[in-house]
Amino acid sequence: MPFSKFKPLDEKSLIEYIKSVPSLSSKLGSNLDDVTIKEVGDGNLNFVYIVLGPAGSLVIKQALPYIRCIGESWPMTRERAYFEALALREHGQFSPEHVPEVYHFDRTMSLIGMRYLEPPHIILRKGLIAGIEYPFLAEHMSEYMAKTLYFTSLLYRTTMDHKHAVAKFCGNVELCRHTAQVVFSDPYKVSEYNHWTSPYLDGDAEAVREDNILKIEVAELKSKFCERAQALVHGDLHTGSIMVTHESTQVIDPEFAFYGPMGFDIGALLGNLILAFFAQDGHADQVNDRKTYKEWILRTIEEVWNLFHKKFIALWDEHKDGSGEAYLPAIYNNPEVQQLVQKKFMEDLFHDTLGFGAAKMIRRIVGVVHVEDFESITDARKRADCEHRALEVAKMLLKERRNFKAITGVVSAIKKL
């Protein structure tokens, strides 16, 4: 076989690769001379190709041995492709409606072939920038998170099964280290990769680095991130990892997947929705002041958590007498104690969610990689004003998260700021 060792593929060599893999070529039709290929990877790490054939389509994603948006000066393991394929298949078992099917994985080539999410699917972040409402977003994402987090946790699995599952993802250490660095470390110190909208946010960046309470709180979150193997989390569940239409919601790019705290996924989504909220003023114009759209975002934030809470508890109740060993029925054997356990679990998860979401927001404003929601605001002063208000909310949520009892309080706090 001509592809027995790794090499980055281009459009020409990719055609030859596809011809050599029946599980890919069969998706495109018999005449592969009519195949068209377009490289569309606008992310930070990988090559992504859309492949269109006479009788079908697919996407090829290939990991490089470095961070694409920075270059070879920041090496990155190609093994992330293995964990991405593994996570897509694991999560696809539990939420097939919201995870694209994997057709092929090649560990040597660090390559995944999967379903092409055809137009009008777009990246959710781009839809939020454009001011598009997605009526099923909260319903779909709450379902995806409830199922993937519940069914990969000790609430559903035996201790033995859970430990075996954790072990499968233990090798994704480099991406976990990368996340710990950019989310929990770099924003709180001087780092060569940090940047922000200067000079307007110079004081804000310094304030983050000098805030002792913030550092104490983020240290606790880092400890949970590194030490708590609660469930199989996507690991990078921001609005750039979700593709949407008005009827469809698909979660992509779980290369950062590992067994970690559930709140890291939920927080990533809610934190990025809060960033989108604060970015709207920078995209407003005389035709559309975005006020109605901002209200929709806040309703979506509220609905995501409330629907997740409802669905997660429903799964827990449905399987409470099953094989899960987190709370053994022989011990937690009456409705009162079961209700107390669930209440404590969900309160802790809510506070974790707020903390992780806030940490993700801070790193997107004064850390290494920012978000298009803000970056696409061309007026630097206006962008900085949006970022400043988002940063103030993030710091407040991180330091005061335990004071919130419900998502309505969070939404009210966002409105005030």
Side-chain angles (χ1 to χ4, degrees), residues 38 49 76 80 86-87 117 145 154 181 186 202 223 235 240 247 257 272 305 315 340 356 380 382 402:
K38 181 181 181 182
Y49 296 96
M76 179 67 70
R80 64 186 186 269
L86 198 58
L117 299 172
M145 293 189 298
L154 201 57
Q181 176 182 337
D186 282 354
D202 289 357
S223 176
E247 296 81 28
N272 274 262
W305 172 259
L315 289 171
L340 288 172
F356 286 123
K382 185 181 291 186
R402 299 174 194 85

Side-chain angles (χ1 to χ4, degrees), residues 16 19 25 30 42 61 108 113 116 125-126 142 162 173 176 191 203-204 308 340 346 349 353 357 360 369-370 381:
E16 296 305 311
K19 288 179 178 178
S25 58
S30 57
D42 61 353
K61 182 173 181 180
T108 299
Y116 170 47
R125 192 184 303 283
K126 294 185 180 296
S142 61
H162 188 67
V173 292
C176 287
S191 169
D204 294 83
F308 167 80
L340 288 172
M346 297 307 291
L349 179 53
T353 293
K360 299 279 272 187
V369 178
H370 293 196
R381 187 181 293 274

Side-chain angles (χ1 to χ4, degrees), residues 92-382:
Q93 290 181 42
F94 305 117
S95 188
E97 304 88 351
H98 304 303
V99 179
E101 181 183 356
V102 174
Y103 302 143
H104 169 75
F105 173 65
D106 184 334
R107 196 165 186 173
T108 299
M109 291 291 288
S110 306
L111 181 148
I112 306 171
M114 68 185 84
R115 175 192 166 195
Y116 170 47
L117 299 172
E118 66 284 344
H121 280 96
I122 64 170
I123 295 294
L124 174 58
R125 192 184 303 283
K126 294 185 180 296
L128 294 170
I129 293 169
I132 302 171
E133 294 186 15
Y134 295 99
F136 296 104
L137 179 63
E139 178 72 32
H140 290 169
M141 287 307 300
S142 61
E143 180 180 349
Y144 164 82
M145 293 189 298
K147 288 182 176 179
T148 58
L149 296 176
Y150 177 80
F151 286 118
T152 61
S153 76
L154 201 57
L155 294 171
Y156 179 75
R157 288 175 167 166
T158 67
T159 303
M160 187 75 75
D161 288 343
H162 188 67
K163 288 293 185 183
H164 281 306
V166 170
K168 285 198 293 185
F169 282 86
C170 278
N172 206 10
V173 292
E174 189 166 332
L175 267 69
C176 287
R177 179 200 58 78
H178 171 80
T179 300
Q181 176 182 337
V182 301
V183 176
F184 304 111
S185 297
D186 282 354
Y188 305 92
K189 65 185 181 69
V190 175
S191 169
E192 62 178 305
Y193 298 111
N194 287 346
H195 65 102
W196 51 84
T197 304
S198 184
Y200 305 108
L201 294 186
D202 289 357
D204 294 83
E206 182 179 7
V208 169
R209 296 194 300 269
E210 299 301 321
D211 191 326
N212 291 335
I213 303 301
L214 205 61
K215 291 178 180 179
I216 291 170
E217 295 296 339
V218 85
E220 179 180 325
L221 292 170
K222 182 178 181 179
S223 176
K224 288 186 177 183
F225 173 85
C226 294
E227 297 166 358
R228 191 168 194 195
Q230 197 173 25
L232 177 58
V233 298
H234 177 285
D236 201 26
L237 194 56
H238 53 72
T239 53
S241 295
I242 302 166
M243 296 193 72
V244 289
T245 69
H246 282 90
E247 296 81 28
S248 170
T249 306
Q250 302 289 322
V251 178
I252 60 173
D253 296 348
E255 59 201 325
F256 285 81
F258 73 110
Y259 270 79
M262 295 180 184
F264 193 73
D265 269 4
I266 313 165
L269 176 59
L270 295 187
N272 274 262
L273 288 173
I274 297 172
L275 292 178
F277 170 85
F278 281 105
Q280 294 306 310
D281 286 348
H283 299 295
D285 54 35
Q286 292 180 338
V287 177
N288 185 352
D289 62 12
R290 298 289 181 111
K291 289 182 179 178
T292 300
Y293 192 63
K294 288 170 70 176
E295 288 298 321
W296 176 81
I297 293 177
L298 292 181
R299 287 198 307 273
T300 299
I301 290 169
E302 200 167 321
E303 289 172 3
V304 166
W305 172 259
N306 286 337
L307 287 170
F308 167 80
H309 186 290
K310 178 181 178 181
K311 294 173 183 183
F312 192 89
I313 290 294
L315 289 171
W316 192 340
D317 288 341
E318 180 183 353
H319 300 281
K320 68 179 185 300
D321 296 320
S323 58
E325 294 186 2
Y327 300 98
L328 295 173
I331 301 172
Y332 304 90
N333 54 5
N334 65 75
E336 182 181 359
V337 72
Q338 290 169 0
Q339 191 173 31
L340 288 172
V341 161
Q342 289 182 339
K343 183 175 184 291
K344 176 68 164 58
F345 186 97
M346 297 307 291
E347 284 178 353
D348 290 346
L349 179 53
F350 181 56
H351 295 151
D352 283 354
T353 293
L354 297 181
F356 286 123
K360 299 279 272 187
M361 290 171 65
I362 291 169
R363 81 93 155 188
R364 292 294 193 176
I365 298 170
V366 297
V368 56
V369 178
H370 293 196
V371 290
E372 188 181 353
D373 311 64
F374 291 136
E375 296 295 285
S376 58
I377 301 170
T378 55
D379 184 324
R381 187 181 293 274
K382 185 181 291 186

